[in-house]
Amino acid sequence: MNARAILSRTAALVAVAVLGGLVALSGVALMGDLGGGTTTVVRTSPSPVAAAPVVGNNGLSVREIYSSAASGVVQITSTSGSADNPSGSPVSPGQTPAQPQQALGSGFVIDKAGHIVTNYHVIEGADQIEVSFSNRDTMRATLVGSDPSTDIAVLRVDASPRGLTPLEFGDSGAVQVGDPVVAIGNPFGLARTATAGIVSAVQERTITAPNGYPIDHVIQTDAPINPGNSGGPLLNQRAQVIGVNSQISTAQGANGNVGIGFAVPSNTVKAVVAQLVSTGKVDRAFLGISGSTVTEELARVFRLPVDAGVLVETVGDGTAAAKAGLKAGSDTTVVAGESYTLGGDLIVAVGGKRVASLEQLRDLLADHKPGETVKVQVYRGSKSMTVDVKLGRQPAQPQG
Protein backbone atom coordinates (compact mmCIF):
# COMPACT_ATOMS: atom_id res chain seq x y z
CA MET A 1 0.00 0.00 0.00
CA ASN A 2 1.24 3.56 -0.69
CA ALA A 3 1.39 6.12 2.07
CA ARG A 4 0.17 9.52 0.98
CA ALA A 5 2.08 12.19 2.82
CA ILE A 6 0.86 15.63 3.79
CA LEU A 7 3.68 18.03 3.09
CA SER A 8 4.15 20.19 6.18
CA ARG A 9 7.16 19.65 8.42
CA THR A 10 6.68 19.74 12.20
CA ALA A 11 9.37 20.37 14.78
CA ALA A 12 8.78 16.97 16.36
CA LEU A 13 8.55 14.77 13.25
CA VAL A 14 5.45 12.62 13.63
CA ALA A 15 3.29 10.12 11.78
CA VAL A 16 -0.37 11.13 11.66
CA ALA A 17 -3.24 8.82 10.72
CA VAL A 18 -5.30 10.11 7.83
CA LEU A 19 -8.98 9.30 8.08
CA GLY A 20 -9.92 6.54 5.65
CA GLY A 21 -13.07 4.58 4.94
CA LEU A 22 -16.37 6.40 4.53
CA VAL A 23 -15.84 9.94 3.29
CA ALA A 24 -18.03 12.58 1.69
CA LEU A 25 -17.92 15.97 0.00
CA SER A 26 -20.88 18.17 -0.84
CA GLY A 27 -23.18 15.59 0.58
CA VAL A 28 -22.21 12.22 -0.86
CA ALA A 29 -20.09 9.70 0.99
CA LEU A 30 -17.89 7.12 -0.69
CA MET A 31 -15.11 4.74 0.19
CA GLY A 32 -11.85 6.68 0.32
CA ASP A 33 -9.29 5.61 -2.24
CA LEU A 34 -6.64 5.48 0.49
CA GLY A 35 -8.49 2.90 2.57
CA GLY A 36 -8.70 2.74 6.34
CA GLY A 37 -5.49 3.04 8.28
CA THR A 38 -3.72 5.11 5.64
CA THR A 39 -0.75 6.85 7.22
CA THR A 40 0.45 10.38 6.65
CA VAL A 41 4.22 10.28 7.01
CA VAL A 42 6.44 13.29 7.60
CA ARG A 43 9.98 12.44 6.49
CA THR A 44 13.29 14.21 6.97
CA SER A 45 15.17 13.70 3.69
CA PRO A 46 14.08 13.43 0.06
CA SER A 47 15.04 10.86 -2.52
CA PRO A 48 16.21 12.49 -5.76
CA VAL A 49 13.78 11.95 -8.59
CA ALA A 50 14.42 13.02 -12.16
CA ALA A 51 11.53 15.13 -13.44
CA ALA A 52 10.87 16.15 -17.00
CA PRO A 53 12.32 19.58 -17.79
CA VAL A 54 9.97 22.37 -18.68
CA VAL A 55 10.73 23.82 -22.09
CA GLY A 56 8.73 26.84 -23.14
CA ASN A 57 7.32 26.16 -26.58
CA ASN A 58 4.47 28.65 -26.37
CA GLY A 59 5.04 29.70 -22.78
CA LEU A 60 7.61 30.90 -20.29
CA SER A 61 10.77 29.04 -19.36
CA VAL A 62 11.30 27.79 -15.81
CA ARG A 63 13.62 30.73 -15.18
CA GLU A 64 11.00 33.20 -16.42
CA ILE A 65 8.24 31.57 -14.38
CA TYR A 66 10.39 31.71 -11.26
CA SER A 67 11.36 35.32 -11.91
CA SER A 68 7.70 36.25 -12.29
CA ALA A 69 6.24 34.31 -9.37
CA ALA A 70 8.89 33.67 -6.70
CA SER A 71 8.44 36.99 -4.89
CA GLY A 72 4.76 36.15 -4.41
CA VAL A 73 5.57 32.88 -2.63
CA VAL A 74 5.99 32.98 1.15
CA GLN A 75 7.21 30.71 3.91
CA ILE A 76 4.72 30.05 6.70
CA THR A 77 5.65 29.04 10.22
CA SER A 78 2.81 28.11 12.56
CA THR A 79 3.34 27.58 16.28
CA SER A 80 1.00 25.78 18.65
CA GLY A 81 1.21 25.11 22.38
CA SER A 82 3.55 28.00 23.18
CA ALA A 83 5.85 27.54 26.14
CA ASP A 84 4.12 30.15 28.31
CA ASN A 85 1.10 27.82 28.52
CA PRO A 86 -1.53 30.20 27.06
CA SER A 87 -4.35 27.79 27.92
CA GLY A 88 -3.72 28.39 31.61
CA SER A 89 -3.84 24.67 32.37
CA PRO A 90 -2.16 23.91 35.72
CA VAL A 91 1.19 22.15 35.61
CA SER A 92 1.77 19.59 38.36
CA PRO A 93 4.92 19.87 40.51
CA GLY A 94 7.80 18.19 38.70
CA GLN A 95 5.86 18.11 35.41
CA THR A 96 7.61 19.61 32.40
CA PRO A 97 5.44 22.09 30.49
CA ALA A 98 4.62 21.06 26.92
CA GLN A 99 7.07 22.44 24.40
CA PRO A 100 5.74 24.51 21.51
CA GLN A 101 5.33 22.69 18.21
CA GLN A 102 6.06 24.30 14.87
CA ALA A 103 4.90 23.45 11.36
CA LEU A 104 6.62 24.82 8.29
CA GLY A 105 4.86 25.28 4.97
CA SER A 106 4.41 27.53 1.99
CA GLY A 107 1.80 29.94 0.68
CA PHE A 108 1.30 32.65 -1.91
CA VAL A 109 -0.10 36.18 -2.08
CA ILE A 110 -3.36 36.57 -4.00
CA ASP A 111 -4.11 40.30 -3.74
CA LYS A 112 -2.78 43.70 -2.67
CA ALA A 113 -4.96 43.55 0.47
CA GLY A 114 -2.51 41.06 1.96
CA HIS A 115 -4.49 37.83 1.59
CA ILE A 116 -2.38 34.67 1.39
CA VAL A 117 -3.47 31.14 0.45
CA THR A 118 -1.97 28.07 2.10
CA ASN A 119 -3.00 24.58 3.21
CA TYR A 120 -5.26 24.14 6.21
CA HIS A 121 -2.99 21.43 7.61
CA VAL A 122 -0.09 23.91 7.72
CA ILE A 123 -1.88 26.19 10.22
CA GLU A 124 -4.20 23.70 11.91
CA GLY A 125 -4.35 24.38 15.67
CA ALA A 126 -1.84 27.24 15.46
CA ASP A 127 -1.65 29.85 18.22
CA GLN A 128 0.68 32.01 16.16
CA ILE A 129 1.35 32.27 12.41
CA GLU A 130 4.32 34.05 10.85
CA VAL A 131 4.88 34.76 7.16
CA SER A 132 8.33 35.33 5.65
CA PHE A 133 8.70 37.15 2.35
CA SER A 134 11.41 37.04 -0.31
CA ASN A 135 13.01 40.20 1.09
CA ARG A 136 13.46 38.33 4.41
CA ASP A 137 10.77 40.40 6.16
CA THR A 138 8.75 38.32 8.63
CA MET A 139 5.26 39.37 9.72
CA ARG A 140 2.52 38.06 11.97
CA ALA A 141 -0.51 36.83 10.04
CA THR A 142 -4.13 36.49 11.08
CA LEU A 143 -6.35 33.61 10.01
CA VAL A 144 -9.20 34.86 7.82
CA GLY A 145 -10.81 31.44 7.47
CA SER A 146 -10.12 27.80 6.73
CA ASP A 147 -11.79 24.89 4.97
CA PRO A 148 -10.57 21.47 6.13
CA SER A 149 -12.72 19.80 3.45
CA THR A 150 -10.42 21.13 0.72
CA ASP A 151 -7.31 21.64 2.89
CA ILE A 152 -7.34 25.38 2.12
CA ALA A 153 -6.82 28.35 4.45
CA VAL A 154 -6.63 32.09 3.89
CA LEU A 155 -4.34 34.33 5.95
CA ARG A 156 -3.91 38.09 5.96
CA VAL A 157 -0.90 40.27 6.69
CA ASP A 158 -0.87 44.01 7.30
CA ALA A 159 1.68 44.89 4.64
CA SER A 160 2.19 47.74 2.21
CA PRO A 161 0.50 46.93 -1.12
CA ARG A 162 3.66 48.02 -2.91
CA GLY A 163 5.57 45.23 -1.21
CA LEU A 164 3.16 42.48 -2.30
CA THR A 165 3.30 40.42 -5.51
CA PRO A 166 -0.06 38.72 -6.05
CA LEU A 167 -0.11 35.57 -8.16
CA GLU A 168 -2.82 35.06 -10.76
CA PHE A 169 -5.10 32.01 -10.77
CA GLY A 170 -5.33 29.98 -13.96
CA ASP A 171 -8.06 27.62 -15.15
CA SER A 172 -7.42 24.13 -13.76
CA GLY A 173 -10.20 22.81 -15.98
CA ALA A 174 -8.01 23.48 -19.02
CA VAL A 175 -5.04 21.53 -17.68
CA GLN A 176 -4.07 18.44 -19.68
CA VAL A 177 -1.76 15.52 -19.10
CA GLY A 178 1.73 16.39 -20.30
CA ASP A 179 1.45 20.12 -19.62
CA PRO A 180 4.69 21.51 -18.13
CA VAL A 181 4.41 22.79 -14.54
CA VAL A 182 6.62 24.44 -11.93
CA ALA A 183 6.26 24.15 -8.16
CA ILE A 184 7.68 26.86 -5.90
CA GLY A 185 7.86 26.38 -2.15
CA ASN A 186 10.03 25.83 0.89
CA PRO A 187 10.90 22.12 1.05
CA PHE A 188 12.68 21.32 4.32
CA GLY A 189 12.92 25.07 4.96
CA LEU A 190 14.88 25.78 1.77
CA ALA A 191 13.18 29.06 0.86
CA ARG A 192 11.56 29.56 -2.54
CA THR A 193 12.85 26.42 -4.20
CA ALA A 194 11.66 25.77 -7.76
CA THR A 195 11.15 22.30 -9.22
CA ALA A 196 9.77 21.41 -12.63
CA GLY A 197 7.83 18.54 -14.17
CA ILE A 198 4.64 17.74 -16.02
CA VAL A 199 1.00 17.07 -15.24
CA SER A 200 0.78 13.30 -14.79
CA ALA A 201 -3.01 12.94 -14.42
CA VAL A 202 -6.09 15.12 -14.07
CA GLN A 203 -9.79 14.90 -13.25
CA GLU A 204 -10.00 11.26 -12.15
CA ARG A 205 -7.73 11.66 -9.11
CA THR A 206 -9.24 12.08 -5.62
CA ILE A 207 -7.35 12.60 -2.36
CA THR A 208 -8.55 12.69 1.24
CA ALA A 209 -8.80 16.01 3.10
CA PRO A 210 -7.60 16.40 6.70
CA ASN A 211 -11.18 15.97 7.99
CA GLY A 212 -11.83 12.84 5.92
CA TYR A 213 -13.81 14.22 3.00
CA PRO A 214 -12.61 13.62 -0.57
CA ILE A 215 -11.07 16.36 -2.70
CA ASP A 216 -11.99 15.70 -6.32
CA HIS A 217 -10.23 16.55 -9.59
CA VAL A 218 -6.80 17.03 -8.01
CA ILE A 219 -3.82 17.51 -10.31
CA GLN A 220 -1.16 14.81 -10.16
CA THR A 221 2.37 15.90 -11.02
CA ASP A 222 5.88 14.46 -11.09
CA ALA A 223 7.42 17.84 -10.20
CA PRO A 224 9.41 17.04 -7.03
CA ILE A 225 7.57 18.34 -3.95
CA ASN A 226 8.48 17.49 -0.39
CA PRO A 227 7.64 18.34 3.24
CA GLY A 228 7.54 22.13 3.48
CA ASN A 229 6.02 22.54 -0.01
CA SER A 230 2.49 22.37 1.41
CA GLY A 231 0.42 25.38 0.43
CA GLY A 232 2.77 26.50 -2.32
CA PRO A 233 1.63 27.12 -5.90
CA LEU A 234 1.76 24.75 -8.86
CA LEU A 235 2.22 27.02 -11.87
CA ASN A 236 1.55 26.64 -15.58
CA GLN A 237 3.68 28.04 -18.41
CA ARG A 238 2.05 31.45 -18.01
CA ALA A 239 3.12 31.61 -14.33
CA GLN A 240 -0.52 31.19 -13.29
CA VAL A 241 -1.53 29.14 -10.26
CA ILE A 242 -3.34 25.99 -11.39
CA GLY A 243 -3.12 24.18 -8.05
CA VAL A 244 -2.09 24.30 -4.41
CA ASN A 245 0.47 21.60 -3.58
CA SER A 246 -0.96 19.49 -0.77
CA GLN A 247 0.08 15.84 -0.65
CA ILE A 248 2.61 13.33 -1.94
CA SER A 249 2.45 9.58 -2.28
CA THR A 250 5.35 7.42 -1.10
CA ALA A 251 5.82 3.67 -1.33
CA GLN A 252 6.31 1.77 1.90
CA GLY A 253 9.90 2.11 3.00
CA ALA A 254 10.56 4.94 0.56
CA ASN A 255 12.09 8.17 1.77
CA GLY A 256 10.78 11.48 0.46
CA ASN A 257 9.51 12.32 -3.00
CA VAL A 258 9.03 9.53 -5.54
CA GLY A 259 7.51 11.65 -8.29
CA ILE A 260 3.83 11.47 -7.29
CA GLY A 261 2.45 14.72 -5.92
CA PHE A 262 -1.06 16.14 -5.72
CA ALA A 263 -2.35 19.70 -5.92
CA VAL A 264 -5.82 20.99 -5.07
CA PRO A 265 -7.12 22.41 -8.39
CA SER A 266 -7.27 26.18 -8.76
CA ASN A 267 -10.94 26.22 -9.76
CA THR A 268 -11.78 24.61 -6.42
CA VAL A 269 -9.41 26.95 -4.59
CA LYS A 270 -10.90 30.08 -6.18
CA ALA A 271 -14.44 29.16 -5.10
CA VAL A 272 -13.33 28.31 -1.56
CA VAL A 273 -11.16 31.41 -1.17
CA ALA A 274 -13.99 33.70 -2.29
CA GLN A 275 -16.21 32.34 0.50
CA LEU A 276 -13.46 32.44 3.10
CA VAL A 277 -12.58 36.07 2.35
CA SER A 278 -16.27 37.02 2.36
CA THR A 279 -17.54 35.08 5.40
CA GLY A 280 -14.60 33.24 6.96
CA LYS A 281 -16.18 29.83 6.35
CA VAL A 282 -17.52 27.52 3.65
CA ASP A 283 -21.04 26.08 3.77
CA ARG A 284 -21.74 22.99 1.67
CA ALA A 285 -24.98 21.29 0.79
CA PHE A 286 -25.28 17.77 2.18
CA LEU A 287 -27.35 14.89 0.84
CA GLY A 288 -26.41 12.27 3.40
CA ILE A 289 -25.79 9.03 1.52
CA SER A 290 -22.93 6.72 0.80
CA GLY A 291 -22.86 5.17 -2.63
CA SER A 292 -20.94 3.72 -5.54
CA THR A 293 -20.63 4.62 -9.19
CA VAL A 294 -22.49 2.22 -11.50
CA THR A 295 -20.17 0.52 -13.99
CA GLU A 296 -21.18 -1.02 -17.30
CA GLU A 297 -20.26 -4.47 -15.99
CA LEU A 298 -22.33 -4.01 -12.84
CA ALA A 299 -25.30 -2.84 -14.89
CA ARG A 300 -24.96 -5.81 -17.23
CA VAL A 301 -24.52 -8.49 -14.57
CA PHE A 302 -27.47 -7.32 -12.46
CA ARG A 303 -29.61 -6.00 -15.32
CA LEU A 304 -29.91 -2.53 -13.87
CA PRO A 305 -32.32 -0.18 -15.66
CA VAL A 306 -29.46 2.18 -16.67
CA ASP A 307 -25.73 1.72 -17.23
CA ALA A 308 -24.63 4.91 -15.41
CA GLY A 309 -25.53 6.57 -12.13
CA VAL A 310 -24.92 6.27 -8.39
CA LEU A 311 -26.12 3.40 -6.23
CA VAL A 312 -27.50 4.57 -2.88
CA GLU A 313 -25.88 2.11 -0.46
CA THR A 314 -26.59 3.75 2.90
CA VAL A 315 -28.74 6.67 4.04
CA GLY A 316 -27.72 8.59 7.15
CA ASP A 317 -30.25 8.99 9.93
CA GLY A 318 -31.90 12.40 9.97
CA THR A 319 -30.20 13.53 6.76
CA ALA A 320 -31.79 15.24 3.78
CA ALA A 321 -31.85 11.93 1.94
CA ALA A 322 -33.62 10.20 4.84
CA LYS A 323 -36.21 12.95 5.17
CA ALA A 324 -36.91 12.75 1.42
CA GLY A 325 -37.41 8.98 1.62
CA LEU A 326 -34.44 7.82 -0.44
CA LYS A 327 -33.95 4.07 -0.07
CA ALA A 328 -30.68 2.42 0.95
CA GLY A 329 -29.39 -0.90 -0.40
CA SER A 330 -29.52 -4.15 1.55
CA ASP A 331 -27.78 -6.85 -0.52
CA THR A 332 -23.98 -6.88 -0.64
CA THR A 333 -22.22 -8.37 -3.64
CA VAL A 334 -18.75 -8.35 -5.21
CA VAL A 335 -18.13 -7.61 -8.90
CA ALA A 336 -14.63 -7.57 -10.38
CA GLY A 337 -13.16 -7.37 -6.89
CA GLU A 338 -15.30 -4.39 -5.87
CA SER A 339 -17.98 -4.56 -3.18
CA TYR A 340 -21.42 -3.07 -3.85
CA THR A 341 -24.66 -2.88 -1.87
CA LEU A 342 -27.65 -3.36 -4.15
CA GLY A 343 -31.38 -3.01 -3.67
CA GLY A 344 -31.46 0.73 -3.00
CA ASP A 345 -32.31 3.71 -5.18
CA LEU A 346 -30.15 4.49 -8.20
CA ILE A 347 -29.56 8.25 -8.68
CA VAL A 348 -29.43 9.32 -12.33
CA ALA A 349 -30.02 13.09 -12.22
CA VAL A 350 -29.97 16.10 -9.88
CA GLY A 351 -31.71 19.33 -10.80
CA GLY A 352 -32.32 18.01 -14.30
CA LYS A 353 -28.63 17.31 -14.90
CA ARG A 354 -27.38 13.78 -15.58
CA VAL A 355 -25.37 12.00 -12.89
CA ALA A 356 -22.92 9.36 -14.11
CA SER A 357 -20.55 9.09 -11.13
CA LEU A 358 -20.03 9.99 -7.49
CA GLU A 359 -17.66 12.78 -8.50
CA GLN A 360 -20.29 14.22 -10.83
CA LEU A 361 -22.91 14.01 -8.10
CA ARG A 362 -20.64 15.94 -5.72
CA ASP A 363 -19.96 18.54 -8.42
CA LEU A 364 -23.69 19.09 -8.98
CA LEU A 365 -24.45 19.36 -5.27
CA ALA A 366 -21.62 21.89 -4.91
CA ASP A 367 -23.68 24.25 -7.09
CA HIS A 368 -26.36 24.38 -4.39
CA LYS A 369 -26.57 25.75 -0.87
CA PRO A 370 -27.87 24.21 2.36
CA GLY A 371 -31.63 24.64 2.59
CA GLU A 372 -32.23 24.60 -1.15
CA THR A 373 -34.65 22.05 -2.58
CA VAL A 374 -33.52 20.05 -5.58
CA LYS A 375 -35.23 17.43 -7.71
CA VAL A 376 -33.40 14.10 -7.57
CA GLN A 377 -34.31 11.54 -10.23
CA VAL A 378 -33.86 7.92 -9.16
CA TYR A 379 -34.71 4.43 -10.27
CA ARG A 380 -36.33 2.27 -7.61
CA GLY A 381 -36.20 -1.15 -9.17
CA SER A 382 -37.30 -0.58 -12.76
CA LYS A 383 -39.47 2.42 -11.91
CA SER A 384 -38.25 5.96 -12.55
CA MET A 385 -39.31 8.59 -10.03
CA THR A 386 -38.39 12.13 -8.97
CA VAL A 387 -37.97 13.10 -5.33
CA ASP A 388 -37.80 16.63 -3.90
CA VAL A 389 -34.87 16.86 -1.48
CA LYS A 390 -34.25 19.81 0.85
CA LEU A 391 -30.48 19.77 1.19
CA GLY A 392 -28.85 19.85 4.60
CA ARG A 393 -25.54 21.29 5.76
CA GLN A 394 -22.37 19.21 5.54
CA PRO A 395 -21.13 18.20 9.02
CA ALA A 396 -17.57 18.90 10.12
CA GLN A 397 -16.58 15.26 9.55
CA PRO A 398 -18.04 12.36 7.56
CA GLN A 399 -20.72 10.41 9.35
CA GLY A 400 -20.56 6.68 10.01
Side-chain angles (χ1 to χ4, degrees), residues 148-159:
S149 295
T150 54
D151 199 14
I152 294 298
V154 175
L155 312 175
R156 189 176 184 276
V157 292
D158 186 12

Side-chain angles (χ1 to χ4, degrees), residues 20 24 63 70 82 105 118 140 158 209 215 229 274 304 327 332 348 353 362 367 387:
R63 179 184 298 178
S82 56
T118 187
R140 288 281 185 95
D158 186 12
I215 306 174
N229 274 110
L304 299 179
K327 182 183 177 183
T332 301
V348 294
K353 296 182 179 180
R362 287 195 291 264
D367 294 334
V387 180

